[in-house]
Amino acid sequence: MKKTELEALKEKLFYKKENVFDTRTKKDEKKISDYAKGYMSFLDNAKTEREAVVEGIKMLEKAGFVEYTLGGEIKAGGKYYLNNRGKSLFAFVAGTDNIENGIRICAAHVDSPRLDLKQHPMFENEGFAYLKTHYYGGIRKYQWVTIPLALHGVVTTADGSSVEVVIGEDDKDPVFCITDLLPHLAREQSQKPLGTAHAGESLNLLIGSQPLDGATEDKVKFNMLKILNDKYGICESDFVSAELTAVPAGKARDLGLDRSMIAAYGHDDRVCAYPSLTAIIENKDSKNTIMCILADKEEIGSEGVSGMKCRLIVDLIEEIAKNLGGNPNVVRANSMCLSADVSAGYDPMYPEVFEKRNSAIINCGVVMNKYTGGGGKSSTNDASAEYVGHIRRVFKEAGVVWQTAELGKIDVGGGGTVAMYIANQNINTVDLGVAVLSMHAPMEVISKNDLYEAHKALSAFCK
Ligand code: MN
Ligand code: MN
């Protein structure tokens, strides 16, 4: 064979991973950077699932979406959102084509690992006041000590009214922290395995040290309760009906001299929630019904009324089908879903846990995980060849830069997403999302290129 023929044949036969930097234009650069700015401001305002739902609704209402409650009327061409108890959100555009063609669903989650307060959290010890926490989701405990933490959430008082709490995000606010040993006295602690050096019960938030004037007992705790009561009207007993959580304080930041990356708390999974929202909001062409789901509780197994295992998705599809004159079983059978969740980015500092050929490389576009789970493909929906083939054609047509990956080496660990719970409802589903470094850490890292490819991918899927 001639050299040129060989080259052409090689081009045809071999797979080559694309890097966004190799193909992006000056024009793309501007779009990527502008889109990242919008995402970063979403991140700053949406550190909990509740805040993400509020921000999501703001974006949707601005785009003409109206609130829908179960049992309400749905008209073809209408744009709706269902606010599920302030903790998860379903936005949908009712298509003008036959509803039995199915619904295109983008499903992300908006809860992130964090430190929830216990129900009886406050105590005083040797002149300090603390709040006890119970961590939520998979955290590496040692990462959460000695960093500034903010308190977010809601307290429902005895009279049934709710108070929103955010302390530690404004520059003028105080912050909180969990203390750690000084290296000089940590000889014994330093010998412990990383996972056991800090016990769950030791993750206590330091919140004050000044006693209440004139008090004789529990003086500092007394003062803390008074400060909270003055500001929010709450008492110690109100913690039992509260959802308060400590999250890393501060805003999302550009990372790197080139500003090519974003360092922030909660990329998992707002980095997919935001493009799922913008995909449905910006959509103009689709005649099909499209839906964006922002779920809660993914980090602890998708259980409960705001988790993806809840039958609300089936109920909602039934309502849509009924209103638009279709059989809900047929609608689900013909629906398609991208479970929009993050993947582990290949980290050259830790090559030992990755199998590079099947890893998500930062800047190489949005990542498809045909299957997640752990060794032996346990606990995953494992999308079919046909469905992956379909998505592949959609991406090709839209010029999306994408790659496939597994979470890491087969026997080193694993993880799941909401994909299998949606697939269990007889809906074709595959995982798609952005690669993250330091996933579940107080500060996670993503690339702006990959974020933008996720936006392109989810938008193309909705068309
Ligand atoms: Mn996730
Ligand atoms: Mn996660």
mmCIF file of all heavy atoms in Angstrom, residues 109 268 298-299 440, ligand 2:
data_model
loop_
_atom_site.group_PDB
_atom_site.id
_atom_site.type_symbol
_atom_site.label_atom_id
_atom_site.label_comp_id
_atom_site.label_asym_id
_atom_site.label_seq_id
_atom_site.Cartn_x
_atom_site.Cartn_y
_atom_site.Cartn_z
ATOM 1 N N HIS A 109 -28.509 15.697 39.422
ATOM 2 C CA HIS A 109 -28.884 15.831 40.834
ATOM 3 C C HIS A 109 -28.257 17.089 41.415
ATOM 4 O O HIS A 109 -27.231 17.573 40.925
ATOM 5 C CB HIS A 109 -28.539 14.578 41.646
ATOM 6 C CG HIS A 109 -27.072 14.335 41.836
ATOM 7 N ND1 HIS A 109 -26.371 14.810 42.918
ATOM 8 C CD2 HIS A 109 -26.162 13.659 41.082
ATOM 9 C CE1 HIS A 109 -25.111 14.427 42.839
ATOM 10 N NE2 HIS A 109 -24.949 13.734 41.730
ATOM 11 N N ASP A 268 -20.139 18.338 41.417
ATOM 12 C CA ASP A 268 -20.957 17.110 41.417
ATOM 13 C C ASP A 268 -22.254 17.427 42.160
ATOM 14 O O ASP A 268 -22.245 17.432 43.396
ATOM 15 C CB ASP A 268 -20.183 15.974 42.093
ATOM 16 C CG ASP A 268 -20.978 14.683 42.174
ATOM 17 O OD1 ASP A 268 -22.068 14.612 41.594
ATOM 18 O OD2 ASP A 268 -20.512 13.751 42.861
ATOM 19 N N GLU A 298 -29.276 11.904 45.646
ATOM 20 C CA GLU A 298 -28.465 10.964 44.858
ATOM 21 C C GLU A 298 -27.269 10.490 45.661
ATOM 22 O O GLU A 298 -26.884 9.330 45.607
ATOM 23 C CB GLU A 298 -28.006 11.625 43.549
ATOM 24 C CG GLU A 298 -27.414 10.647 42.530
ATOM 25 C CD GLU A 298 -25.946 10.284 42.776
ATOM 26 O OE1 GLU A 298 -25.238 11.069 43.461
ATOM 27 O OE2 GLU A 298 -25.507 9.229 42.315
ATOM 28 N N GLU A 299 -26.690 11.413 46.436
ATOM 29 C CA GLU A 299 -25.457 11.080 47.159
ATOM 30 C C GLU A 299 -25.683 10.068 48.284
ATOM 31 O O GLU A 299 -24.731 9.535 48.845
ATOM 32 C CB GLU A 299 -24.810 12.356 47.714
ATOM 33 C CG GLU A 299 -24.323 13.332 46.638
ATOM 34 C CD GLU A 299 -23.195 12.787 45.783
ATOM 35 O OE1 GLU A 299 -22.712 11.675 46.053
ATOM 36 O OE2 GLU A 299 -22.807 13.482 44.821
ATOM 37 N N HIS A 440 -16.032 15.025 45.175
ATOM 38 C CA HIS A 440 -16.537 14.961 46.561
ATOM 39 C C HIS A 440 -15.647 15.690 47.573
ATOM 40 O O HIS A 440 -15.925 15.650 48.767
ATOM 41 C CB HIS A 440 -16.771 13.524 47.035
ATOM 42 C CG HIS A 440 -17.996 12.907 46.451
ATOM 43 N ND1 HIS A 440 -18.653 11.844 47.031
ATOM 44 C CD2 HIS A 440 -18.713 13.204 45.334
ATOM 45 C CE1 HIS A 440 -19.704 11.520 46.299
ATOM 46 N NE2 HIS A 440 -19.753 12.325 45.251
HETATM 47 MN MN MN B 2 -21.362 12.229 43.910
#
